[in-house]
Amino acid sequence: MSYRPEGLRTLDDEQESPQPAAPAGIGVRGWLRWAWRQLTSMRVALLLLMLLALAALPGAFFPQTPQDAGAVARYRADQPGLAVWLDRLGLFDVYASPWFAAIYLLLFVSLIGCILPRTRTHLAAMRAAPTRVPRRLRRFPVHATHETAASPEEVTAAVRAALGRRFRVATTPDGVSAERGYLRETGNIVFHLSLVGVLIALGLGQVLSYRGQAVVVEDRSFANALVDYDTFTSGSLVDEDRLDPFVLTLQEMTSEFTVDAQARDFAAHVAITEPDGEVREDVIRVNHPVEASGANIYLAGNGFAPHLTVRDAEGEVAFSQPVPFLPEDDFYTSRGVVKVPDVSPGLEQLGFTGYLLPTAVVDEVGVRSVHPQPNAPLIVLDVYTGDLGLDDGVPQNVYELDTTGLTQLTDEEGEVKILLEPGQEVELPDGLGTISFDSLPRFAALDVRYDPSLTLLLVSALLAMAGLSASLFVPRRRLWVKVGAGEGGRTVVEAAALARGDDPGLEKELEHVMTAVRAAGPTSQEDK
């Protein structure tokens, strides 16, 4: 016996099926037909799916231009020879490369080419009547016979009642034919259609989505505009100048820690102004984003942004704003950089780099923080002078200070260390001015993600799981019951069952039917 993709096939079917037509002669048309059949086979579809996964791996090993153009530039500078070949192969932007798009499209065509014929065959099979009763039921591995005093009509009624609504049943002069398990093939088709949906969602996500990160200090606002993002990546069809203009204001950033500095909770209390002017308050927590104009806003990090003011020798304010210091350990020992433009004649610019210690202690180890909450904040800074490159027009990382070509301020005892406590103002060496620690607000690092394909992706994934479950666990069975006349006016019942693949419940299914047959009338002999 052999099996069709749609279901089961008996030897009788094989004997009566017409012989296939002779293969087409070798030629352009024949080769095209052969290539199409290979492309639309499930074997090739699975191979392309695996190839697509392998093609995405370079994106994990090499920096990608859409995600981090700066890292790509550094890679080009460090490995100029290799970078030329990587660029030619499109490995700095894998998902936009022609070879990745070719695999993606071939997989798309292959899946659709597999699904359409199977769907057409499946619909035709669902409309067709169950297969007729085979002539010889004893040759099936699972079969049973029985003699009863019940009439053929009573036996047929008992069989139909036992099969119930679980089977598609047809009664013919040869007997009763029943089939079940069409949901198995339906699930298979749904699974493959869902894979197409996943591919469409991934493609739409690449061209219609955007993602950006921004640091927002307490009592300050962030607008959904390109200029307010620290980093921003978008799909090819996203108009970066026409993002939905919602505004988020960070009202308060709170954090809770245990006595031994274990984090318990982080919460960003925000007010969101929608494009229509509606204002609502909400709270962003870890793994609990808020939604604004279709974008999800996640809390990606937090820390302190001390408000520092630098004045020149004449007392004029050269710099005054909160400076985010990035945490580097569990005690929120945070590193920060302050870049100050021209301060006084003779010196071009000032640069400060150092640490914020939320709960500072001084012991034999040195100055360190022992708790992440600001119980005794202290800022320790080194001072540099020289050209910071602020007027060169070249973008810089605000969290890094390139000290190449800069001069660190020193005195008779060595390097100058500026120590600042809240509310304290310290004079800079050599009459450069003063720096003060005005206040200690917190900041929230936000991750904004907009992806209109997520709903399609979720629905496709759920349908794929449901379809796969049905194709794996729904049994595909056929069952036949032949009713004939025996000696002494008795009725001879012969039954057989067939399943697709191993089916431990097949014998129990047949036994359930034979139990109903035995109950239809008195038994004259044991089942054979």
Side-chain angles (χ1 to χ4, degrees), residues 7 29-30 35 55 79 83 85 131 159 175 185 212 269-270 326 342 383 390 411 444 466 506 526:
R29 185 175 180 180
Q79 304 285 343
W85 287 101
T131 182
V159 170
E185 181 66 9
H269 301 263
V270 299
L326 304 183
D342 303 342
V383 187
L390 299 178
D411 56 16
L506 187 62
E526 295 295 328

Side-chain angles (χ1 to χ4, degrees), residues 389-396:
L390 299 178
D391 302 325
D392 296 341
V394 179
Q396 295 187 11

